[in-house]
Amino acid sequence: MLPYFVHNKICESMLSVLMQLLIDPDPVVRRKFSEIIGSILKLQFEKERNAKILEKLDELLITSLKSALLTSKDSGNIDFQKTVIFSIGELGKVADDGLLLISVISLLEAYMTSIPSAKVVAFSKLKEIADSKHLKMSDLFKAYKDPVCKFLAEFMFTRNLQNVSDAIIIFEEIRTVFGYNDLKLFINHIQSTILPYVVCRETGFSLILLSSLSVILHVEKSELLINNFPFIFSHFVRHCSKAELEKALLFIQRETNLELGSLLRCNYQPIHNELLLHLSTHYEQVFSGLAILALKSGDTSGTNSVIVHTEDMANYLQPKLLGFLVFFDAQMLKSSMDDKKLALESLVSIMELMGPRAVTAVRFKLMATLRIALRFKDDGFPKICCKAWNTFVRSIEISCLGPLLNQIVVALLPLLEVEPVTVSEIFHFLIIEKRSYLSEFFHDLYFVPETPGLQEINAVLKNYNENPSSITDFYSLLCHSLRGISHENLEVRLHALEQLKQVLHINQTAIHEHLLGRETVDNLLSNLVATLISGCREPDTRIRTALGECLGELGAIDPGRLDMKSASSKETVNFYDSIDNEDFAFALIQELVHSFLAADDCGIQDCSACAIQEVLRYYKCSNEKGSSGNHLWNRFPPDIQEILVVLFHSQYKPLIRSRKKFPVPLYQSKMGSTFKDWTKNWFYSLLQKVKKDNP
């Protein structure tokens, strides 16, 4: 049979007939077919390229598997059940997506039978499926956590559990299957996913399951429901009717002895986060859920009615947008690839919902968030990433887009290889369509590569770029390069250093004439040398290497001829008599803003934002006329004011951790092996000496 399928495609009707062999009365036929079903279907999946035909084949296979499993169970024939289970396992090894899910759930259902031999076959096939996908059993579970938890809850309800012990035994069995060594760890991992399915029944069995979870986790049932309320609420909003939602809310209120308003206040930001996480897949339901939250919180712009317009929803969500972006960062860093894709798609929907005004206000945070997405190269992810960047650039007010242009372009360059068409479309929008608005910033885009897909874009940029072929004045070239290598963004600095290396290499004659033909070296060259040397403190090895190469191109220079004193005069250290000195506050906020802009890690940027928030509050720095901090506010330039205004009312909170004693280490000792470790521990030791009543 197998040689036939090597050379021929299988049609739907043929597959339907073929799958009848799963339940053939002859045990020899069933056994032989179970041994080759995986190979047959693998050949067909590899040959077929039509997505619609593959989808139909999957649907037929899923129906056949369910029917075969039910028939085998009803027959009471153990050998019959084992061959069907074996066939499902073989099919699962070559399946993906929905068919793989059905295979896993069917094998779990078979594993939960009381027949030991069937149990062994089901477990071994689950293990083989995980091995064929190069996954651990725990990773296979994580990939299908939601449907597995749904199956587990429904299975327990069908068993009509009588006490907590019965539920714990079933949890132990599932925990063993997926390779968890500790039951508490397993339940802690699934509690947020299984609880919505437990609550939806609102029966005596629900209370037994709740009690079992409570016993395993050593927490009260009320605490369990309160802590997981964001997940429960989000699930019911997305998947259940209004009547079912109200019924579930009444059940939770009864079990926790809390009113709905109190439940919402306990989990205010997390509830919004969980809803917004699914905005891309359940837009209407999530919008309705957010409208309920707005109504319950009384935040409906004074109308006391349900929000129905996107503009009103955007106004309601704007104060919570930073909180969601921090949550989104955590999703991107810690969750599975499917959850990452869901989060990124939802971020696109959020930007479209919020509009230019809100997106522009948090553009720096959004850019840091989108940079995280650039790290992942799995199939399909770069495409979603390009979609997110495309939405981002089209959602920023044009007056604020120019200063970000070089950072956006340099961030998208890695995607040019995998998604050239989409990236070219973004560049076309920025450089061709918006040329009249953004042309003054085109001179910073000297690093756009010469590729066939970017010919039109490069033709435009050549009219603006200050490169060696278009500028004869060596000093203008150096001045432009000096601006680039001092940029806050690390990737922009790296490209600027590569450009500077080329400039120095091409202009060796001009450098030598300048150094040897004059008694004193121009201040511009002194500034360049000082900047290159000070940059060697950078932790990034690529930057340090590029700096060294630039210094190599400059060659040996008599330090006595360089005016390093004037070059470093801009870095003079100021001393202040008090932290309440306005000059100190001004300098401190500027330094924090620089840290915020230069952060290449979202966590560092969040820490900088939190610090700015607290400093603004301490000094009462405000744009309100007549306020005590208004004079300080007016000292900042408009570009810094745009960053600060977002943090007036932000709600960043530092993680509460128990204070421990930090040693004051000797430099290069165990606790101070690097300058970074030494300064960190020294700072923490000083922080312990700060008294709360006298900050």
Side-chain angles (χ1 to χ4, degrees):
M1 184 186 292
L2 190 57
Y4 172 82
F5 293 106
V6 172
H7 304 289
N8 297 276
K9 283 189 177 183
I10 193 169
C11 63
E12 193 174 344
S13 57
M14 187 184 296
L15 180 62
S16 181
V17 173
L18 195 63
M19 292 303 288
Q20 291 299 311
L21 296 176
L22 277 173
I23 54 175
D24 193 274
D26 189 336
V28 177
V29 172
R30 291 199 310 272
R31 192 173 295 110
K32 290 293 183 183
F33 180 66
S34 68
E35 291 171 358
I36 62 172
I37 182 175
S39 301
I40 292 172
L41 292 174
K42 182 180 180 181
L43 289 170
Q44 298 306 312
F45 291 153
E46 289 173 350
K47 286 180 182 180
E48 188 57 67
R49 291 288 180 265
N50 190 310
K52 290 185 178 179
I53 293 177
L54 281 172
E55 188 177 344
K56 286 185 177 180
L57 293 180
D58 275 0
E59 289 175 0
L60 178 59
L61 287 168
I62 288 169
T63 304
S64 300
L65 287 181
K66 288 181 176 179
S67 175
L69 190 62
L70 184 63
T71 303
S72 67
K73 287 173 67 176
D74 292 342
S75 71
N77 186 325
I78 296 176
D79 186 62
F80 188 3
Q81 291 183 47
K82 286 165 64 177
T83 53
V84 170
I85 293 168
F86 191 94
S87 299
I88 292 172
E90 290 298 303
L91 196 154
K93 289 195 288 187
V94 300
D96 287 306
D97 302 325
L99 186 57
L100 175 57
L101 170 60
I102 291 299
S103 301
V104 171
I105 297 298
S106 298
L107 290 173
L108 271 179
E109 188 176 348
Y111 178 82
M112 299 308 290
T113 182
S114 57
I115 303 170
S117 57
K119 215 178 184 75
V120 171
V121 176
F123 178 75
S124 65
K125 286 299 163 185
L126 277 169
K127 187 72 171 62
E128 287 176 20
I129 288 175
D131 291 341
S132 69
K133 309 299 178 186
H134 307 291
L135 296 172
K136 297 178 182 178
M137 286 296 287
S138 58
D139 293 328
L140 181 67
F141 169 71
K142 290 172 185 175
Y144 295 105
K145 184 167 69 168
D146 188 82
V148 168
C149 286
K150 182 181 179 181
F151 158 77
L152 183 56
E154 290 177 350
F155 175 80
M156 288 183 164
F157 282 123
T158 58
R159 293 291 293 268
N160 295 327
L161 303 176
Q162 299 300 313
N163 53 58
V164 170
S165 299
D166 292 340
I168 291 178
I169 290 170
I170 295 174
F171 280 130
E172 282 281 9
E173 284 194 272
I174 296 295
R175 185 268 302 173
T176 304
V177 170
F178 290 110
Y180 282 82
N181 295 322
D182 181 65
L183 180 59
K184 185 178 180 180
L185 178 65
F186 175 67
I187 297 301
N188 191 55
H189 187 65
I190 70 168
Q191 59 176 313
S192 61
T193 309
I194 198 171
L195 272 172
Y197 298 110
V198 172
V199 170
C200 71
R201 293 297 183 98
E202 197 203 350
T203 63
F205 299 122
S206 297
L207 292 175
I208 291 175
L209 281 178
L210 267 177
S211 298
S212 64
L213 295 173
S214 173
V215 168
I216 295 168
L217 295 173
H218 307 297
V219 296
E220 296 293 331
K221 286 189 293 183
S222 58
E223 184 180 347
L224 192 64
L225 290 170
I226 292 169
N227 291 342
N228 289 281
F229 185 70
F231 307 101
I232 298 170
F233 185 81
S234 174
H235 175 89
F236 276 89
V237 164
R238 289 181 286 117
H239 299 293
C240 302
S241 65
K242 186 178 179 181
E244 289 173 317
L245 172 61
E246 291 175 351
K247 188 178 179 183
L249 291 176
L250 287 172
F251 174 79
I252 295 171
Q253 289 177 82
R254 187 168 60 249
E255 291 301 315
T256 59
N257 291 318
L258 290 175
E259 294 181 353
L260 180 58
S262 299
L263 286 168
L264 295 175
R265 283 191 293 275
C266 288
N267 297 278
Y268 192 64
Q269 184 68 44
I271 292 173
H272 288 82
N273 292 344
E274 283 300 319
L275 284 175
L276 289 169
L277 183 61
H278 297 88
L279 187 64
S280 61
T281 54
H282 299 81
Y283 186 90
E284 292 182 4
Q285 295 90 334
V286 169
F287 193 101
S288 299
L290 292 169
I292 293 171
L293 293 178
L295 187 63
K296 293 293 182 182
S297 66
D299 190 359
T300 53
S301 303
T303 60
N304 201 31
S305 59
V306 177
I307 293 175
V308 293
H309 300 295
T310 54
E311 295 84 359
D312 295 329
M313 183 59 74
N315 291 333
Y316 168 69
L317 290 175
Q318 185 168 5
K320 305 159 189 66
L321 190 53
L322 275 176
F324 174 74
L325 292 177
V326 174
F327 168 75
F328 175 90
D329 293 345
Q331 290 295 115
M332 294 299 293
L333 294 170
K334 298 178 182 178
S335 59
S336 66
M337 186 53 63
D338 286 339
D339 288 341
K340 285 180 172 65
K341 290 179 180 179
L342 171 66
L344 194 54
E345 288 279 14
S346 291
L347 184 61
V348 172
S349 299
I350 289 168
M351 288 190 284
E352 292 171 344
L353 169 65
M354 297 303 295
R357 183 171 64 88
V359 171
T360 301
V362 295
R363 61 191 181 278
F364 295 105
K365 174 59 186 170
L366 261 171
M367 279 190 67
T369 298
L370 289 174
R371 285 193 196 105
I372 301 175
L374 295 171
R375 304 177 188 178
F376 309 108
K377 310 297 182 185
D378 287 44
D379 183 41
F381 201 87
K383 190 176 187 67
I384 305 172
C385 192
C386 285
K387 181 182 176 182
W389 278 97
N390 195 16
T391 304
F392 174 70
V393 300
R394 294 171 188 271
S395 300
I396 298 177
E397 293 173 354
I398 196 68
S399 60
C400 299
L401 189 56
L404 300 179
L405 192 59
N406 57 353
Q407 298 182 56
I408 293 169
V409 173
V410 81
L412 289 171
L413 289 181
L415 292 173
L416 197 56
E417 295 181 7
V418 288
E419 292 291 336
V421 176
T422 313
V423 174
S424 298
E425 288 174 357
I426 298 173
F427 287 176
H428 188 277
F429 169 78
L430 293 170
I431 296 164
I432 307 298
E433 294 181 35
K434 299 300 178 182
R435 179 178 180 177
S436 59
Y437 299 100
L438 304 176
S439 58
E440 64 178 292
F441 301 96
F442 286 176
H443 64 276
D444 288 327
L445 302 182
Y446 45 79
F447 45 76
V448 175
E450 296 278 352
T451 60
L454 301 178
Q455 287 180 351
E456 184 182 3
I457 290 161
N458 277 304
V460 172
L461 292 178
K462 281 180 180 178
N463 297 321
Y464 300 91
N465 280 354
E466 299 176 3
N467 53 48
S469 61
S470 62
I471 293 182
T472 57
D473 183 7
F474 176 58
Y475 295 102
S476 297
L477 281 169
L478 285 184
C479 189
H480 180 253
S481 299
L482 198 57
R483 290 201 307 269
I485 65 176
S486 302
H487 197 278
E488 291 95 350
N489 184 271
L490 186 143
E491 295 297 330
V492 173
R493 288 201 302 278
L494 187 60
H495 282 282
L497 286 167
E498 290 173 357
Q499 171 75 359
L500 175 62
K501 180 185 172 184
Q502 293 178 19
V503 169
L504 295 174
H505 183 75
I506 293 170
N507 291 274
Q508 285 290 307
T509 303
I511 294 172
H512 292 153
E513 287 178 356
H514 181 82
L515 292 174
L516 301 175
R518 300 185 180 190
E519 291 187 6
T520 59
V521 176
D522 190 273
N523 281 342
L524 183 61
L525 200 58
S526 297
N527 287 334
L528 178 63
V529 173
T531 304
L532 291 174
I533 292 174
S534 66
C536 291
R537 292 177 292 186
E538 285 263 10
D540 191 277
T541 54
R542 296 174 301 162
I543 293 286
R544 292 204 303 270
T545 300
L547 287 164
E549 289 173 346
C550 289
L551 287 168
E553 291 292 344
L554 276 173
I557 303 175
D558 182 359
R561 304 185 66 201
L562 295 174
D563 188 7
M564 301 299 285
K565 186 178 292 185
S566 63
S568 60
S569 61
K570 297 177 183 177
E571 299 182 11
T572 54
V573 178
N574 294 316
F575 292 92
Y576 307 95
D577 57 357
S578 168
I579 63 171
D580 294 321
N581 187 316
E582 188 180 283
D583 291 335
F584 173 77
F586 179 73
L588 175 60
I589 292 173
Q590 280 194 312
E591 193 65 33
L592 291 172
V593 169
H594 175 75
S595 172
F596 176 82
L597 292 174
D600 57 353
D601 179 87
C602 58
I604 295 173
Q605 190 177 65
D606 289 335
C607 289
S608 300
C610 181
I612 294 170
Q613 166 193 284
E614 294 304 308
V615 170
L616 289 174
R617 290 175 182 175
Y618 179 83
Y619 291 106
K620 298 181 174 60
C621 181
S622 170
N623 58 357
E624 294 181 10
K625 291 183 179 180
S627 64
S628 59
N630 186 242
H631 183 267
L632 174 60
W633 166 262
N634 290 328
R635 291 180 63 178
F636 294 107
D639 57 326
I640 291 183
Q641 287 180 350
E642 284 186 2
I643 298 170
L644 300 182
V645 73
V646 180
L647 299 171
F648 280 163
H649 307 293
S650 57
Q651 298 294 323
Y652 282 101
K653 292 182 180 178
L655 291 174
I656 300 173
R657 292 177 179 170
S658 58
R659 283 196 173 190
K660 61 180 181 180
K661 288 189 175 181
F662 291 90
V664 184
L666 294 173
Y667 186 54
Q668 291 193 340
S669 65
K670 183 179 180 181
M671 298 302 295
S673 56
T674 65
F675 181 73
K676 180 181 177 181
D677 291 339
W678 179 74
T679 51
K680 180 181 71 174
N681 282 281
W682 181 58
F683 170 78
Y684 280 136
S685 66
L686 290 177
L687 193 63
Q688 292 175 356
K689 301 180 186 300
V690 176
K691 297 179 181 178
K692 292 183 180 180
D693 57 346
N694 187 24

